[in-house]
Amino acid sequence: MSENNIKVEFDNIKKYFGGTKALDGVSFKVKYGSIHSICGENGAGKSTLMKVLSGIHKKDSGKLLYRGKLVDFLGPKEAIENGISIIHQELAIIPDLTVAENIFIGSKDEYEQSLFKFLTNRKLINQKSQELLTKFGFDIDPNARAGNLSVACQQMIEIAKALSRNSEVLILDEPTAVLAGSEVEVLFETLFRLRNEGVSIIYISHRLEEVLRISDEISIIKDGRSVATFDARTVTKDELVRGMIGRELGDYFPERKGSRLRDMALEITQLSDGILLKDIKLNVQKGEIVGLAGLVGSGRTELVQSLFGARQVTSYSIKKDGTPLQLGDVKDAIRAGIAMIPESRKEQGLIIDCAISENITHVARNKSLDFGVVIDTKKEQAIAQHYSQLLNIKLGHHSDSVNTLSGGNQQKVVMAKWLHSDCDFYLLDEPTRGVDVGAKKEIYNVINTIADSGCGVLMVSSELSELIGTCERIYVMSQGTIVGEVSGDTKNEEMIMRLAVQ
């Protein structure tokens, strides 16, 4: 490898947080004009390493070379000025600003001046934003309020903002976690175009299929250390998994076990919201895992939110366990035995600054009460201990903040909360979003256990392989309605996408 072809070099990078080794000797090189992916389990050190490169964290030892020169950026601003941009998994959108304002806020040129002088030159900002969005295939109105847009569109705004800075190195952390179908293809086309223009792209993702598809090289980090760097053209998925988790994963989707109950758990013969959802019809049997597929904006999340009472509907006819279900609010849904694992665990599934034990017992708080009045902390800890062992939640202590856990373990806490609530119908919206391959299999096991106990499961996922591997049947949504159902021999990606693009 010619040294003059190297854009970024990590040489034995180490980073400590107190007594914890977040990075314990990471070394690899990123070429000019290449897509270099980084894989590893949650907590492996991938994001920490990128924060060192982008000036957010200061390394404790090792060498960081950029364009062949030693660098040690004092902060994100200096990194940006040197052509390094990072798009975090947690978006930094300012919801009350327009798309154009979000794209150009913080820029060094005349657009920043016009923005902070009450946007007197709004026309120019909008024009430049539209040119940028059009160039990269993003169909977004620059005048739209960012907070009113879907998470997928907000992700595209972040990408457009980074591209507006003419970045030489673009770091993307789980960029497709909220994208599906055509949005993912637009992103990949953009990355290929940027690579051909000489931009070095560092790509972090748990989705091994897409990593193998788009990468030139793939580096694996485990427990803060470099494992290996592979040529993406020759490495196999099994080799990547073995490097990430240190063992063979076996089948990704575990077999179903136990008896199947075939009474109807939920039957929808009509549901509309007057905005997006139109005449929804579907059913889920007890002991069955049913999938919901579709492109972003097709209405999948809106449907499960409506069933959980978190979104208003205008008309509906629904039976749960053969009895008409009244859609009121979230409390009514919980009382009816409906659980919801939402798309955004941090914003909607967890009380992020509270203890792990408090999060697990939050919904069924009465089970932790002494004499029905006072919280029995010993009982609460015992409940948390039970579910931590059951779901293999890796933690320090149950009194620690849930924010100290990795994404996969946070997701398990959300699942533990609902298992503790004794609900018998589960709505899952992107249950493995941002979760590494090892934790994914554990979550699939939990989902199987839920179904094998006789509960009904309705699951949304943007990963078609996940739906195909876990669900017996899959409904496909497009433009707010069910456009088809696949099962058996028709349960394949080609058939699902044909229906989804209607």
Side-chain angles (χ1 to χ4, degrees):
M1 183 184 294
S2 173
E3 293 303 316
N4 60 11
N5 191 36
I6 304 304
K7 175 76 80 169
V8 178
E9 180 177 354
F10 302 97
D11 183 5
N12 199 30
I13 301 294
K14 296 186 179 183
K15 176 63 184 176
Y16 304 90
F17 294 102
T20 303
K21 294 180 179 180
L23 298 173
D24 192 25
V26 176
S27 301
F28 63 87
K29 301 173 182 179
V30 179
K31 297 177 181 178
Y32 277 83
S34 70
I35 299 178
H36 194 118
S37 289
I38 304 177
C39 295
E41 294 184 278
N42 288 106
K46 307 182 298 295
S47 296
T48 301
L49 182 66
M50 292 304 99
K51 288 177 180 178
V52 169
L53 174 59
S54 59
I56 298 171
H57 291 329
K58 185 177 177 63
K59 61 181 171 55
D60 292 312
S61 63
K63 297 178 181 178
L64 176 61
L65 289 88
Y66 177 51
R67 304 178 190 138
K69 297 181 180 180
L70 288 172
V71 293
D72 197 2
F73 298 125
L74 299 177
K77 183 177 181 181
E78 185 178 355
I80 291 170
E81 289 173 350
N82 280 274
I84 297 174
S85 293
I86 182 169
I87 300 171
H88 299 280
Q89 188 175 352
E90 303 297 330
L91 302 180
I93 290 294
I94 302 174
D96 290 331
L97 295 183
T98 68
V99 171
E101 291 162 9
N102 270 279
I103 289 174
F104 284 106
I105 190 169
S107 64
K108 294 174 61 179
D109 54 26
E110 68 270 21
Y111 310 126
E112 180 188 24
Q113 298 302 318
S114 62
L115 179 61
F116 288 102
K117 291 180 180 178
F118 302 99
L119 306 169
T120 54
N121 204 353
R122 186 184 298 271
K123 182 177 180 181
L124 178 59
I125 293 174
N126 289 340
Q127 177 188 336
K128 293 297 181 182
S129 296
Q130 186 64 71
E131 291 173 359
L132 186 67
L133 293 166
T134 301
K135 177 181 177 182
F136 294 109
F138 298 154
D139 185 16
I140 305 173
D141 181 1
N143 292 296
R145 180 178 175 273
N148 292 337
L149 300 177
S150 67
V151 178
C153 286
Q154 292 178 1
Q155 175 72 281
M156 292 178 186
I157 295 169
E158 287 273 68
I159 293 171
K161 180 177 180 178
L163 297 177
S164 72
R165 298 165 172 166
N166 297 316
S167 300
E168 294 183 38
V169 175
L170 182 61
I171 305 164
L172 298 103
D173 192 352
E174 296 289 349
T176 63
V178 295
L179 305 180
S182 60
E183 288 83 5
V184 173
E185 293 305 317
V186 168
L187 172 64
F188 288 171
E189 289 172 7
T190 300
L191 297 185
F192 294 147
R193 187 185 305 119
L194 291 170
R195 176 183 63 184
N196 293 338
E197 292 175 358
V199 177
S200 298
I201 297 161
I202 301 177
Y203 192 93
I204 299 174
S205 178
H206 291 121
R207 297 182 176 182
L208 299 186
E209 290 85 357
E210 68 182 33
V211 165
L212 287 166
R213 175 184 169 189
I214 70 169
S215 305
D216 297 301
E217 292 184 299
I218 304 169
S219 291
I220 294 177
I221 300 175
K222 179 175 173 57
D223 299 328
R225 298 178 181 177
S226 298
V227 174
T229 294
F230 298 97
D231 185 329
R233 296 170 297 180
T234 58
V235 70
T236 67
K237 187 174 181 179
D238 287 343
E239 287 176 311
L240 293 180
V241 170
R242 190 161 53 246
M244 289 168 64
I245 65 179
R247 56 182 169 82
E248 299 289 349
L249 185 62
D251 293 333
Y252 285 90
F253 305 106
E255 292 183 10
R256 297 288 305 281
K257 297 179 181 180
S259 61
R260 307 282 183 85
L261 303 176
R262 286 309 179 200
D263 293 332
M264 197 62 70
L266 189 79
E267 184 176 17
I268 305 173
T269 54
Q270 195 282 324
L271 184 148
S272 302
D273 68 358
I275 303 171
L276 175 62
L277 303 177
K278 301 180 288 291
D279 195 26
I280 300 293
K281 296 180 178 68
L282 62 81
N283 64 75
V284 181
Q285 300 174 35
K286 293 183 178 180
E288 185 180 31
I289 304 172
V290 175
L292 269 182
L295 304 180
V296 170
S298 63
R300 300 168 305 165
T301 293
E302 289 80 1
L303 174 55
V304 293
Q305 287 178 342
S306 297
L307 294 174
F308 193 57
R311 198 169 187 273
Q312 293 294 316
V313 295
T314 54
S315 61
Y316 62 93
S317 178
I318 306 173
K319 288 183 179 180
K320 182 178 180 295
D321 303 326
T323 302
L325 177 67
Q326 299 299 316
L327 291 181
D329 56 19
V330 170
K331 290 182 180 179
D332 290 335
I334 295 172
R335 280 193 287 266
I338 299 176
M340 172 74 170
I341 297 175
E343 181 180 15
S344 176
R345 55 181 169 264
K346 287 190 175 182
E347 294 180 5
Q348 301 165 334
L350 298 167
I351 307 173
I352 203 67
D353 293 323
C354 284
I356 297 164
S357 57
E358 291 178 76
N359 273 275
I360 290 175
T361 61
H362 175 66
V363 173
R365 204 65 169 157
N366 59 304
K367 295 185 180 182
S368 306
L369 298 178
D370 194 7
F371 304 108
V373 179
V374 181
I375 295 293
D376 185 332
T377 54
K378 289 185 178 180
K379 189 181 294 185
E380 186 176 65
Q381 289 291 324
I383 292 168
Q385 178 69 24
H386 168 72
Y387 285 104
S388 296
Q389 292 177 346
L390 180 67
L391 303 184
N392 191 28
I393 301 174
K394 298 174 183 177
L395 48 79
H397 193 274
H398 294 100
S399 60
D400 293 342
S401 167
V402 74
N403 200 29
T404 62
L405 301 180
S406 68
N409 285 300
Q410 287 181 359
Q411 192 74 330
K412 291 180 188 177
V413 170
V414 178
M415 301 184 92
K417 173 181 70 175
W418 289 113
L419 289 174
H420 180 53
S421 73
D422 297 327
C423 287
D424 60 4
F425 192 87
Y426 284 73
L427 302 166
L428 312 180
D429 193 356
E430 304 286 2
T432 63
R433 175 186 168 194
V435 173
D436 65 67
V437 289
K440 275 186 178 183
K441 185 170 182 179
E442 292 180 335
I443 290 174
Y444 297 146
N445 281 325
V446 176
I447 295 171
N448 279 354
T449 299
I450 291 169
D452 289 340
S453 70
C455 299
V457 178
L458 183 61
M459 182 169 111
V460 174
S461 178
S462 297
E463 293 191 51
L464 297 186
S465 60
E466 181 170 83
L467 291 177
I468 292 168
T470 58
C471 302
E472 295 173 55
R473 297 183 291 122
I474 302 169
Y475 289 104
V476 184
M477 294 191 68
S478 178
Q479 300 181 47
T481 193
I482 302 289
V483 293
E485 175 187 342
V486 298
S487 61
D489 292 340
T490 66
K491 196 175 64 170
N492 58 68
E493 293 193 19
E494 181 181 355
M495 182 62 71
I496 292 171
M497 287 307 300
R498 283 182 180 179
L499 292 168
V501 296
Q502 290 185 19

